[in-house]
Short mmCIF file of all heavy atoms in Angstrom, two decimals:
data_model
loop_
_atom_site.label_atom_id
_atom_site.label_comp_id
_atom_site.label_asym_id
_atom_site.label_seq_id
_atom_site.Cartn_x
_atom_site.Cartn_y
_atom_site.Cartn_z
N GLU A 5 -22.80 15.60 -37.76
CA GLU A 5 -21.84 15.72 -36.70
C GLU A 5 -21.19 14.36 -36.37
O GLU A 5 -21.87 13.36 -36.41
CB GLU A 5 -22.52 16.21 -35.46
CG GLU A 5 -23.01 17.68 -35.59
CD GLU A 5 -23.61 18.12 -34.33
OE1 GLU A 5 -23.17 17.68 -33.18
OE2 GLU A 5 -24.53 18.97 -34.38
N PRO A 7 -19.69 11.80 -33.74
CA PRO A 7 -20.03 11.59 -32.34
C PRO A 7 -18.78 11.94 -31.49
O PRO A 7 -17.68 11.64 -31.83
CB PRO A 7 -20.34 10.05 -32.23
CG PRO A 7 -19.87 9.46 -33.50
CD PRO A 7 -19.69 10.53 -34.52
N ALA A 29 -26.19 -2.19 -11.43
CA ALA A 29 -26.54 -3.56 -11.18
C ALA A 29 -27.64 -3.99 -12.16
O ALA A 29 -27.58 -5.12 -12.74
CB ALA A 29 -27.08 -3.69 -9.74
N THR A 59 -25.89 0.02 -26.32
CA THR A 59 -26.28 -0.95 -25.31
C THR A 59 -25.06 -1.74 -24.83
O THR A 59 -24.85 -1.89 -23.61
CB THR A 59 -27.34 -1.93 -25.86
OG1 THR A 59 -28.55 -1.19 -26.17
CG2 THR A 59 -27.64 -3.03 -24.89
N LEU A 61 -21.93 -0.84 -24.99
CA LEU A 61 -21.03 0.05 -24.28
C LEU A 61 -21.53 0.36 -22.89
O LEU A 61 -20.77 0.25 -21.90
CB LEU A 61 -20.88 1.37 -25.09
CG LEU A 61 -19.88 2.31 -24.44
CD1 LEU A 61 -18.43 1.80 -24.77
CD2 LEU A 61 -20.04 3.70 -24.96
N LEU A 64 -21.19 -2.81 -20.61
CA LEU A 64 -19.84 -3.10 -20.31
C LEU A 64 -19.26 -2.07 -19.25
O LEU A 64 -18.57 -2.46 -18.34
CB LEU A 64 -18.92 -3.03 -21.53
CG LEU A 64 -19.18 -4.11 -22.57
CD1 LEU A 64 -18.30 -3.85 -23.82
CD2 LEU A 64 -18.95 -5.52 -22.01
N LEU A 75 -5.81 2.82 -23.26
CA LEU A 75 -5.87 1.34 -23.02
C LEU A 75 -7.03 0.72 -23.91
O LEU A 75 -8.06 0.44 -23.40
CB LEU A 75 -6.07 1.00 -21.53
CG LEU A 75 -4.78 0.89 -20.71
CD1 LEU A 75 -5.11 0.59 -19.27
CD2 LEU A 75 -3.88 -0.10 -21.32
N TYR A 83 -2.41 -6.69 -21.05
CA TYR A 83 -2.12 -6.58 -19.64
C TYR A 83 -2.61 -7.73 -18.83
O TYR A 83 -2.36 -7.81 -17.62
CB TYR A 83 -2.68 -5.29 -19.08
CG TYR A 83 -1.85 -4.06 -19.38
CD1 TYR A 83 -2.16 -3.17 -20.36
CD2 TYR A 83 -0.68 -3.81 -18.59
CE1 TYR A 83 -1.44 -2.10 -20.62
CE2 TYR A 83 0.06 -2.68 -18.83
CZ TYR A 83 -0.30 -1.82 -19.84
OH TYR A 83 0.47 -0.73 -20.07
N LYS A 88 4.73 -16.14 -22.71
CA LYS A 88 5.75 -17.12 -22.39
C LYS A 88 5.87 -18.05 -23.63
O LYS A 88 4.86 -18.60 -24.02
CB LYS A 88 5.39 -17.91 -21.13
CG LYS A 88 5.38 -17.11 -19.89
CD LYS A 88 4.91 -17.90 -18.71
CE LYS A 88 4.87 -16.93 -17.51
NZ LYS A 88 4.15 -17.47 -16.38
N ASP A 91 3.38 -17.42 -26.43
CA ASP A 91 1.98 -17.47 -26.21
C ASP A 91 1.59 -16.54 -25.04
O ASP A 91 2.35 -16.32 -24.11
CB ASP A 91 1.51 -18.89 -25.81
CG ASP A 91 1.60 -19.85 -27.00
OD1 ASP A 91 1.47 -19.39 -28.12
OD2 ASP A 91 1.86 -21.02 -26.78
N HIS A 92 0.40 -15.97 -25.15
CA HIS A 92 -0.15 -15.15 -24.09
C HIS A 92 -1.35 -15.89 -23.50
O HIS A 92 -2.08 -16.58 -24.20
CB HIS A 92 -0.62 -13.85 -24.71
CG HIS A 92 -1.00 -12.78 -23.75
ND1 HIS A 92 -2.27 -12.77 -23.12
CD2 HIS A 92 -0.32 -11.70 -23.25
CE1 HIS A 92 -2.30 -11.74 -22.33
NE2 HIS A 92 -1.13 -11.09 -22.35
N ARG A 100 -11.06 -15.56 -30.30
CA ARG A 100 -12.47 -15.70 -30.38
C ARG A 100 -13.16 -14.36 -30.54
O ARG A 100 -14.16 -14.24 -31.26
CB ARG A 100 -12.96 -16.45 -29.13
CG ARG A 100 -14.44 -16.93 -29.21
CD ARG A 100 -14.86 -17.80 -28.08
NE ARG A 100 -13.92 -18.93 -27.95
CZ ARG A 100 -13.47 -19.37 -26.76
NH1 ARG A 100 -13.79 -18.72 -25.63
NH2 ARG A 100 -12.66 -20.38 -26.66
N LEU A 102 -11.86 -11.76 -32.01
CA LEU A 102 -11.62 -11.27 -33.36
C LEU A 102 -12.43 -12.07 -34.38
O LEU A 102 -12.59 -11.66 -35.54
CB LEU A 102 -10.10 -11.38 -33.69
CG LEU A 102 -9.24 -10.46 -32.87
CD1 LEU A 102 -7.78 -10.68 -33.24
CD2 LEU A 102 -9.62 -8.98 -33.05
N PRO A 108 -24.00 -8.65 -31.60
CA PRO A 108 -24.35 -9.43 -30.41
C PRO A 108 -23.27 -10.43 -29.98
O PRO A 108 -22.98 -10.55 -28.79
CB PRO A 108 -25.68 -10.14 -30.82
CG PRO A 108 -26.27 -9.27 -31.84
CD PRO A 108 -25.06 -8.68 -32.64
N VAL A 147 -11.19 -2.53 -37.68
CA VAL A 147 -11.18 -2.54 -36.18
C VAL A 147 -10.47 -3.77 -35.63
O VAL A 147 -9.62 -3.72 -34.74
CB VAL A 147 -12.63 -2.51 -35.58
CG1 VAL A 147 -12.65 -2.68 -34.10
CG2 VAL A 147 -13.28 -1.17 -35.93
N PRO A 161 11.70 -1.16 -32.54
CA PRO A 161 12.78 -0.63 -31.67
C PRO A 161 12.81 0.87 -31.84
O PRO A 161 12.58 1.42 -32.90
CB PRO A 161 14.06 -1.30 -32.15
CG PRO A 161 13.69 -1.80 -33.53
CD PRO A 161 12.21 -2.00 -33.57
N SER A 163 14.30 4.20 -32.65
CA SER A 163 15.45 4.53 -33.53
C SER A 163 16.20 5.63 -32.83
O SER A 163 15.73 6.54 -32.23
CB SER A 163 14.95 5.04 -34.89
OG SER A 163 14.12 6.14 -34.71
N ARG A 168 24.68 14.63 -37.42
CA ARG A 168 25.82 14.82 -38.31
C ARG A 168 26.51 16.12 -37.99
O ARG A 168 25.91 17.10 -37.75
CB ARG A 168 25.31 14.83 -39.76
CG ARG A 168 24.68 13.54 -40.16
CD ARG A 168 24.25 13.56 -41.54
NE ARG A 168 23.52 12.36 -41.84
CZ ARG A 168 23.38 11.85 -43.04
NH1 ARG A 168 23.90 12.45 -44.09
NH2 ARG A 168 22.72 10.76 -43.21
#
Side-chain angles (χ1 to χ4, degrees):
E5 291 184 32
T59 296
L61 186 76
L64 293 176
L75 274 179
Y83 279 99
K88 294 178 183 164
D91 290 330
H92 189 278
R100 194 171 304 135
L102 295 178
V147 172
S163 61
R168 296 180 187 204

